[in-house]
Amino acid sequence: MASSDPRKLMTKADKLTKLSLTRWSADWKSATELYEQAANGFRVAKNYEQAKIAFEKASKGQEMLSSPWDAAKHMESAATLAKELCKWNEVADFYRKASELYIECGRSQPASDALTKAARALEDNAPEDAIQLYTDACSILEEDDKEQMAFDLYRGATNVYIKLEKYTDAATFLLRWGLAADKCNATHSQCKAYLCAIIVYLYAHDFKQAEKCYNDCSQIDAFLRSDQNRCASKLLSAYTEGDVEEIKRVAQSSTISNLDHMIIRLARKLPTGDVSALKAGAAEEEEPLDENDLT
């Protein structure tokens, strides 16, 4: 009976992949089977570091055997173990490699999923990397006209941007979500995304950008006729009037209560700055022209 000691299996597999005077070609088929056995053995023994290395080698073996799907699966297993070991750089690298292998198979969904797993694993420890992974995961689905499958990813990236207090980036990503929703005729999601972007701008106390966003989005007929548009219009009017109580009332509306939790939390804190200056500015703009004043 063959040895089940994973260390011995690894040693034997390594020998099968090295060329020598007596071995002119690598036996990747036998070696890969041994790496897979070793990886499972190490994992059962909770020796995650060695299991991770074994899965990496098993993945390489499947690549050499022209089986990118199996190679990707092993790379994901290595990534899972790297996560257990809190080796965040390796988590990202392994999932990225898995994603590339799935792309090689022509499978955009698992390719995107691999990057999403990495993003979720890195949200707390490497949020900037998580955002990039979410963005790349979205791009893979967008390129394959599968925007509908990316909605959770837009949400995930937006959430991390908000945690990092990068509100302009969060609003920009929400608008990207709106565009994706438009492409797959998800009108309700589109309108919600636009309202969310306006709320984020208001939370950042950037009224001019919120107003511009509202005006731009209102060029789209679906948004113009939506409850989300009416809600945004009431919010902006309350800001223009400097009416704090009305802002708070609108923020409690059912339309906003149906948005994602991260946006509801922002909306319930509105207004975040002094809105009286907006009212004064609006009054100055509306001041009638004195025909007798020639200055």
Side-chain angles (χ1 to χ4, degrees):
M1 183 177 173
S3 170
S4 59
D5 181 342
R7 293 182 187 280
K8 290 180 179 177
L9 293 173
M10 288 283 283
T11 301
K12 186 176 179 182
D14 286 341
K15 285 180 180 177
L16 291 172
T17 63
K18 288 183 173 62
L19 305 183
S20 66
L21 291 173
T22 56
R23 187 184 303 285
W24 292 10
S25 62
D27 184 355
W28 280 106
K29 187 174 187 304
S30 298
T32 301
E33 289 175 2
L34 292 171
Y35 284 136
E36 289 168 346
Q37 290 173 37
N40 289 322
F42 281 129
R43 185 163 57 183
V44 168
K46 290 187 165 41
N47 187 339
Y48 295 144
E49 179 61 38
Q50 290 302 314
K52 171 176 67 72
I53 292 168
F55 273 119
E56 250 193 294
K57 291 188 174 186
S59 177
K60 172 68 174 174
Q62 291 292 358
E63 269 196 273
M64 298 301 290
L65 295 170
S66 300
S67 182
W69 178 267
D70 291 322
K73 286 293 182 186
H74 288 327
M75 198 53 76
E76 284 205 70
S77 294
T80 301
L81 293 163
K83 181 184 172 185
E84 287 286 336
L85 295 163
C86 299
K87 295 191 172 183
W88 308 116
N89 285 343
E90 290 188 0
V91 170
D93 290 344
F94 291 156
Y95 274 125
R96 279 196 179 281
K97 178 62 177 174
S99 179
E100 290 166 10
L101 289 163
Y102 285 129
I103 291 288
E104 199 177 313
C105 299
R107 301 290 296 277
S108 62
Q109 185 67 59
S112 175
D113 287 347
L115 296 184
T116 303
K117 289 173 190 173
R120 286 176 179 152
L122 268 59
E123 273 191 21
D124 293 332
N125 296 282
E128 298 282 0
D129 292 338
I131 285 170
Q132 188 58 58
L133 287 158
Y134 274 128
T135 303
D136 293 345
C138 287
S139 296
I140 288 172
L141 294 175
E142 289 167 353
E143 286 166 13
D144 203 24
D145 296 324
K146 291 181 177 177
E147 285 89 355
Q148 183 83 48
M149 308 297 290
F151 285 9
D152 278 344
L153 312 187
Y154 297 117
R155 183 180 290 111
T158 301
N159 207 359
V160 180
Y161 273 131
I162 288 173
K163 284 181 184 175
L164 293 173
E165 299 183 359
K166 294 191 170 186
Y167 300 115
T168 300
D169 291 326
T172 300
F173 219 83
L174 284 162
L175 293 173
R176 177 173 174 172
W177 183 357
L179 181 62
D182 183 42
K183 284 184 179 177
C184 52
N185 298 315
T187 305
H188 189 57
S189 293
Q190 178 185 12
C191 294
K192 285 171 70 173
Y194 292 157
L195 174 57
C196 287
I198 292 163
I199 288 170
V200 169
Y201 281 129
L202 289 175
Y203 183 81
H205 205 58
D206 190 344
F207 179 78
K208 286 197 177 299
Q209 196 59 44
E211 195 172 44
K212 181 181 184 302
C213 183
Y214 171 79
N215 290 334
D216 289 346
C217 293
S218 293
Q219 301 299 311
I220 298 163
D221 192 50
F223 181 66
L224 184 62
R225 295 182 285 106
S226 69
D227 290 340
Q228 289 78 19
N229 178 284
R230 285 185 283 278
C231 181
S233 177
K234 287 176 184 176
L235 262 181
L236 293 171
S237 294
Y239 266 82
T240 303
E241 292 296 318
D243 191 338
V244 172
E245 290 309 311
E246 176 65 4
I247 293 169
K248 289 180 177 179
R249 192 191 68 75
V250 176
Q252 295 290 335
S253 67
S254 59
T255 304
I256 286 180
S257 295
N258 285 322
L259 301 177
D260 290 324
H261 292 303
M262 59 186 176
I263 302 298
I264 295 171
R265 282 197 295 270
L266 299 187
R268 298 281 158 82
K269 292 176 183 176
L270 295 177
T272 52
D274 182 14
V275 296
S276 59
L278 294 172
K279 183 179 182 181
E284 284 178 17
E285 286 178 17
E286 291 174 10
E287 191 174 308
L289 179 66
D290 184 350
E291 293 180 2
N292 296 318
D293 186 358
L294 300 177
T295 58

